[in-house]
Amino acid sequence: MKFVFGLIVGVGAGLAASFVLANRDEEEGALGSLQVNVKSALASAKAAVAQREKELWTEFHERVPAPDQTTIA
């Protein structure tokens, strides 16, 4: 019974996805707005990653001395 239910849900999801992807006539339709949202989210994520990477490198350089610096213990 679970298999049949899963099969029906899967077929329904496939039909819904094909319907959304087939309606490319409307540039600002559901697919267009989804694409804009995804691009915006990716841009925000890339900016956050770049900022965090900069912070981590700064912290790294504060903790680890440069190779030309000698430490006297």
Side-chain angles (χ1 to χ4, degrees):
M1 189 67 179
K2 290 181 183 180
F3 175 77
V4 174
F5 179 71
L7 182 65
I8 292 171
V9 170
V11 169
L15 286 173
S18 66
F19 179 73
V20 169
L21 294 175
N23 290 333
R24 292 184 178 219
D25 298 347
E26 304 171 1
E27 188 64 32
E28 291 298 321
L31 187 61
S33 63
L34 177 66
Q35 187 176 15
V36 169
N37 289 341
V38 169
K39 284 184 179 181
S40 175
L42 284 174
S44 297
K46 286 179 182 179
V49 166
Q51 177 63 31
R52 183 63 180 146
E53 183 180 9
K54 184 178 177 182
E55 292 170 1
L56 289 172
W57 277 114
T58 301
E59 183 180 337
F60 172 78
H61 289 297
E62 289 173 356
R63 290 184 180 194
V64 178
D68 60 345
Q69 293 177 350
T70 57
T71 57
I72 301 174

